[in-house]
Amino acid sequence: MARPPDAAPEQHLSLELQGLVQGVGFRPHVVRLALLHGLRGTVANSSRGVQLDLEGARPALEAFRHSLLANPPDRARIDHEICRWQPVQAGQSDAARRPAGVRILEPLAGGNGTTPVSPDLAICPRCLEELRDPTNRRHGYPFISCADCGPRYSVVEQLPFEREHTSFRHFPLCEQCGSEFSDPADRRFHAQTISCPACGPQLRWDGQAITNTAGIQAAATALAEGAIVALQGVGGFQLLVDPANAEALQRLRQRKGRPHKPLALLASSDWMESHCCSHAGERELCHGPTAPILLLRRPPDRQAGIAAEVAGRSPWLGVMRASSGLQQLLLEACGGVVVATSANRSGEPLCANADADAATLRELADHVLSHTLPVVNRIDDSVQRWAAGGALTLRLGRGLAPVALPHPSHNAGALGLGAQIKGALALQTESHLLLSPDLGDLSSVMGAAHHQHTCRTWLQRHGLSVRHLACDQHPGYSASAWAAELAARHQRPLHAVQHHHAHLLAVMAEHRIEGQAVGVAWDGAGQGDDGTLWGGEALAINHDGYRRIAHLRPWPLPGGERAQREPRRAALGLLLEAYGPGWRDRLASLPNLSWRTAFSDDDLQVLEQSVWRGLNAPRSSSIGRLFDAVAALLGLAQCCSYEAQAAMALEALALEAFERPSDRDEACPLDLPLQRRDAHGPWQWNWQPLLTQLLEALARDTPAPRLALAFHQALAQAIAALARAEGCQELLLAGGCFQNALLLELSINALNQQGCRALWPQQLPCNDAALPIGQLLAAESVSINRVAPRAESHVPGRRR
């Protein structure tokens, strides 16, 4: 039918949208929204994002566009829009010539895969309802999912995100699932990872096929009998144990090589409510689509059914809800709580393939409940805690990773390879900086191989070749060695980036700051330009470089690398540096100091001589090691079996005082003064007054919790003093020390009180897993100096 003469001419709207727009129900949302506005046309995934071509009256198209940009699907994020308008040619606007509504086309071919991959999405409330509904055809189905939930990153093989590009390609849709997939009114319309008992993956118990009900029951029975069960989760295997069975927990720790580090719990909402303290923000985090392991306070009067072997004396429990139907079904069969920890030996990658990892799984577990859906990209559970009014990421994993930061660049193919203990990588595409999940410790051969495999996989998936490489400047890191190998093999430039410079650049990238900034980077250690171990740094930075404006006064670490796991050595180094050969006299008034028995007389003599002679006693300015030293002197930890063990114990002790108003008000003042050694050199935080005050307070029998709190307060005031001295209105905070929620909050408050705004990682982790992002920014500045300037981003919000 011809258009009436007085009707406005129709327009064609072409929209290319980039960002997190695949695997999040974006195309179904477009189809439904376009129908509401009476539009017709097509929508398709592409290697760059989503392409829309729509026709209709200009006002309807404008209303559609405004609604789409303002209210995309919940898990979507539009970072960049390319919008083109043109009139519909005469004779082409007759609606009868094309189907009504909007069609979803096959993915558009061509171009590099710049679009980010969605993180995995935990099971949603509607799927949980169906899982429990006896009348629903997916009742009790372990692999239930929809457009709003289900595996994404863990199953993707290539881009764009389509079923045939994931490991679900092995499971063609049955007639009923196909009908749901094709129906715009169905909530599984174009949901790429759906399946049902008739067409989906199947369970296996110890390698043999088993029905869903029987598999869940077999695992629940084995757990009740004290067995360790390996469960194939979303991104790999978890080791499950009854949390009340101390003997089974001891076996688990022995097999994993994890003697003390707290174990996570998989728990129901009811169990969390009755055993943990949480507020509304924490509950929202826990029950949202990321479903991380969340550190929650554990009241001492609510620990029934939890053996001491789960978390020792820690005031926190790491708790997560079920992220998949399989976990939910098993959790319900086990009474609402099980220990769920990564299925790997300490320092090795997560097991993810029941066949390839069979030997390791046999060593770790008594039974294995697996399934036939391949895990393409292994990924561990995320770990978060609540701090400073929001989520603080401790481990970037399932539900949060990959992270995509909008960052248009001509340097697509640049690769940042991170550091060592918390391995990670970052890839620059044309539109984004992409950060991988935490890939674990790269010190082992298997850890390094996993890191390298992930690098190759990411480059292949995004259709990129290596253009520029960046790594930590420490030459002993396996990631740095591999970066050098890649640079030589591909004849590409390699940029070694100072550790703490990269930490602070990552904060700049997250908060989209360009130009100059000042920041504090406090962590365990990073190689400094002067050959010492840095870790208590304040830097004035930009992408091109930095200036060291302050640092903690350095001191020797007897035994070098061993001091990173033995706080007693950090304390000894402080005493020797502060008081020289007469250091023992300083302890004469402390006959009951537990640290005095940390070494044998022979060991003490050897270590003391090594310091005086400068043998294997590198100097360090690390705040992380200062935490260790204070923890050792307070008797909290002399030797550690996992990273930050002493620092976490010190934070826990400080919280005891902080949460008692009388102790908080009477905390013994300690001072970490900011001083200059010379007029032209950097500021220095001098720890010697703090050490002397601490020893004097111990001699007066000051309660240890008050001293622990005073130490945290001294650090926060030291940061505030720097901001005053430098006239900062804004200060970046980065490095693993700020995983300490108490330190972070005290520092933010101290800065706020003097009108200085703190910026810290909120989307990225503040630990070494974020370093690849900072490394890429540093490398980009080098690349820009070699080639034409980078085009300005069209994405709003970048700060200067």
Side-chain angles (χ1 to χ4, degrees):
M1 181 180 296
R3 186 175 64 249
D6 57 346
E10 291 196 332
Q11 291 277 308
H12 178 102
L13 170 63
S14 173
L15 272 180
E16 180 182 308
L17 301 175
Q18 298 175 11
L20 201 56
V21 293
Q22 295 188 11
V24 291
F26 201 91
R27 291 174 298 169
H29 180 74
V30 166
V31 170
R32 296 176 185 126
L33 185 62
L35 284 172
L36 286 176
H37 289 275
L39 305 176
R40 61 187 180 276
T42 61
V43 58
N45 278 345
S46 73
S47 61
R48 294 167 57 87
V50 172
Q51 176 66 43
L52 291 76
D53 287 283
L54 304 176
E55 293 180 356
R58 179 73 180 240
L61 289 167
E62 290 278 17
F64 164 86
R65 175 172 170 266
H66 178 269
S67 179
L68 179 64
L69 298 180
N71 298 290
D74 288 342
R75 295 297 293 165
R77 190 189 75 222
I78 299 171
D79 295 328
H80 186 57
E81 173 203 15
I82 299 175
C83 176
R84 299 183 182 89
W85 294 90
Q86 63 184 55
V88 175
Q89 298 299 317
Q92 294 181 353
S93 61
D94 189 344
R97 294 190 179 185
R98 56 179 56 83
V102 172
R103 292 177 296 127
I104 297 179
L105 300 180
E106 292 296 312
L108 304 178
N112 294 329
T114 62
T115 191
V117 178
S118 166
D120 301 297
L121 304 176
I123 186 169
C124 69
R126 294 180 70 180
C127 282
L128 277 174
E129 289 178 9
E130 293 180 351
L131 190 70
R132 294 165 174 156
D133 181 1
T135 67
N136 192 282
R137 74 188 190 93
R138 291 187 175 87
H139 172 244
Y141 179 55
F143 307 98
I144 189 169
S145 71
C146 67
D148 296 325
C149 70
R152 300 294 192 265
Y153 171 75
S154 61
V155 296
V156 70
E157 296 173 332
Q158 56 180 304
L159 297 172
F161 188 84
E162 302 284 346
R163 188 181 185 90
E164 60 268 26
H165 293 165
T166 74
S167 54
F168 273 94
R169 63 187 172 84
H170 302 291
F171 305 95
L173 294 176
C174 66
E175 184 176 351
Q176 282 184 284
C177 287
S179 178
E180 293 170 337
F181 187 87
S182 303
D183 182 2
D186 195 284
R187 71 188 195 88
R188 291 187 170 88
F189 176 51
H190 266 266
Q192 303 300 317
T193 61
I194 63 170
S195 62
C196 74
C199 63
Q202 303 297 310
L203 292 183
R204 290 179 176 176
W205 177 249
D206 289 338
Q208 302 299 313
I210 194 170
T211 66
N212 295 331
T213 301
I216 297 296
Q217 189 55 53
T221 299
L223 289 167
E225 293 173 349
I228 300 171
V229 174
L231 173 72
Q232 187 173 345
V234 174
F237 281 89
Q238 298 168 309
L239 298 176
L240 308 186
V241 176
D242 177 358
N245 192 321
E247 187 276 330
L249 287 161
Q250 289 170 353
R251 281 190 286 115
L252 173 65
R253 288 189 175 280
Q254 183 177 16
R255 292 180 188 182
K256 270 183 66 74
R258 183 172 171 168
H260 304 114
K261 190 174 183 180
L263 301 168
L265 296 170
L266 178 65
S268 66
S269 299
D270 290 343
W271 190 93
M272 290 185 210
E273 187 173 339
S274 63
H275 288 78
C276 303
C277 292
S278 63
H279 53 67
E282 290 171 325
R283 290 190 290 274
E284 184 178 354
L285 265 183
C286 190
H287 297 294
T290 58
I293 297 172
L294 189 62
L295 297 192
L296 298 177
R297 294 301 298 275
R298 52 186 298 199
D301 59 344
R302 300 191 205 170
Q303 297 310 306
I306 300 295
E309 287 78 6
V310 172
R313 299 171 59 187
S314 172
W316 303 283
L317 285 175
V319 189
M320 62 179 156
R321 75 171 178 98
S323 58
S324 69
L326 177 56
Q327 286 182 332
Q328 181 66 32
L329 292 168
L330 186 53
L331 187 60
E332 292 175 358
C334 293
V337 62
V338 292
V339 165
T341 188
S342 307
N344 64 316
R345 286 184 290 254
S346 182
E348 294 183 358
L350 178 70
C351 292
N353 185 300
D355 296 325
D357 297 323
T360 301
L361 290 171
R362 281 195 300 270
E363 293 177 5
L364 294 173
D366 302 309
H367 298 283
V368 178
L369 182 60
S370 62
H371 55 73
T372 56
L373 176 65
V375 174
V376 178
N377 305 293
R378 67 185 76 200
I379 183 170
D380 217 331
D381 298 307
S382 290
V383 182
Q384 292 186 304
R385 69 185 309 183
W386 190 269
L392 185 67
T393 299
L394 309 183
R395 183 170 70 198
L396 197 62
R398 175 197 47 77
L400 294 174
V403 171
L405 300 180
H407 189 79
S409 173
H410 289 305
N411 205 30
L415 193 62
L417 294 176
Q420 186 80 351
I421 301 300
K422 297 183 183 301
L425 67 96
L427 178 64
Q428 175 71 67
T429 70
E430 293 176 0
S431 57
H432 289 83
L433 290 167
L434 306 179
L435 179 64
S436 77
D438 188 325
L439 300 175
D441 191 346
L442 308 188
S443 302
S444 69
V445 173
M446 293 179 65
H450 174 45
H451 181 252
Q452 295 171 19
H453 171 78
T454 305
C455 289
R456 289 189 290 265
T457 300
W458 275 46
L459 287 166
Q460 182 274 329
R461 182 185 302 129
H462 290 278
L464 294 170
S465 57
V466 175
R467 176 168 180 166
H468 197 127
L469 290 144
C471 65
D472 194 276
Q473 70 179 19
H474 194 304
Y477 289 170
S478 60
S480 301
W482 195 56
E485 179 184 330
L486 282 176
R489 183 190 313 163
H490 297 285
Q491 295 295 296
R492 293 292 185 263
L494 171 62
H495 187 48
V497 184
Q498 201 282 323
H499 192 89
H500 303 95
H501 186 207
H503 264 308
L504 293 169
L505 286 176
V507 183
M508 290 183 69
E510 176 175 338
H511 291 278
R512 303 175 69 191
I513 299 169
E514 291 188 344
Q516 304 282 339
V518 174
V520 168
W522 284 1
D523 62 4
Q527 182 170 346
D529 292 337
D530 59 2
T532 66
L533 298 175
W534 291 6
E537 311 309 310
L539 308 178
I541 67 168
N542 56 30
H543 293 190
D544 296 324
Y546 65 91
R547 178 172 56 88
R548 196 183 193 195
I549 60 174
H551 60 84
L552 187 66
R553 174 184 166 187
W555 79 97
L557 295 178
E561 191 170 324
R562 288 187 62 180
Q564 296 185 38
R565 289 294 177 94
E566 296 184 24
R568 59 183 183 170
R569 293 172 181 260
L572 175 61
L574 275 184
L575 293 167
L576 293 171
E577 179 78 7
Y579 308 123
W583 66 273
R584 287 176 176 83
D585 296 337
R586 279 286 182 170
L587 304 185
S589 60
L590 295 166
N592 297 321
L593 186 69
S594 62
W595 178 85
R596 296 178 66 135
T597 62
F599 299 101
S600 68
D601 290 340
D602 289 343
D603 287 345
L604 199 56
Q605 184 176 3
V606 170
L607 291 172
E608 188 173 356
Q609 288 302 312
S610 73
V611 170
W612 301 142
R613 296 175 182 177
L615 300 175
N616 195 26
R619 298 186 68 78
S620 170
S621 59
S622 166
I623 293 288
R625 299 290 78 80
L626 187 63
F627 263 95
D628 285 353
V630 172
L633 292 171
L634 293 183
L636 296 176
Q638 304 302 339
C639 295
C640 297
S641 64
Y642 62 91
E643 185 184 21
Q645 182 177 351
M648 291 177 67
L650 193 58
E651 180 188 3
L653 189 65
L655 282 173
E656 291 182 24
F658 186 79
E659 292 171 353
R660 288 196 297 263
S662 59
D663 281 358
R664 184 169 65 242
D665 296 339
E666 296 178 19
C668 172
L670 301 179
D671 187 25
L672 184 65
L674 185 68
Q675 303 170 344
R676 277 203 194 275
R677 295 182 63 188
D678 60 72
H680 304 290
W683 295 99
Q684 189 175 88
W685 287 297
N686 185 5
W687 45 260
Q688 187 158 345
L690 184 149
L691 176 63
T692 299
Q693 293 160 356
L694 179 69
L695 295 176
E696 291 172 349
L698 285 170
R700 296 192 302 270
D701 292 326
T702 304
R706 292 184 186 176
L707 294 175
L709 176 57
F711 175 68
H712 283 75
Q713 292 169 332
L715 293 178
Q717 290 304 317
I719 290 174
L722 172 78
R724 287 194 302 274
E726 291 292 318
C728 298
Q729 295 182 334
E730 194 170 80
L731 191 71
L732 313 181
L733 303 176
C737 289
F738 293 105
Q739 295 176 123
N740 181 320
L742 180 60
L743 174 63
L744 178 64
E745 291 171 350
L746 288 173
S747 302
I748 292 169
N749 291 338
L751 291 168
N752 284 343
Q753 288 173 10
Q754 60 191 44
C756 180
R757 180 180 179 224
L759 295 173
W760 66 96
Q762 293 166 281
Q763 186 177 1
L764 300 176
C766 56
N767 56 44
D768 284 5
L771 288 175
I773 291 289
Q775 290 168 354
L776 282 187
L777 287 194
E780 181 180 62
S781 68
V782 175
S783 177
I784 288 172
N785 291 333
R786 295 178 176 213
V787 298
R790 177 168 58 88
E792 282 292 317
S793 169
H794 295 286
V795 186
R798 190 175 298 279
R799 298 171 51 220
R800 295 181 182 276

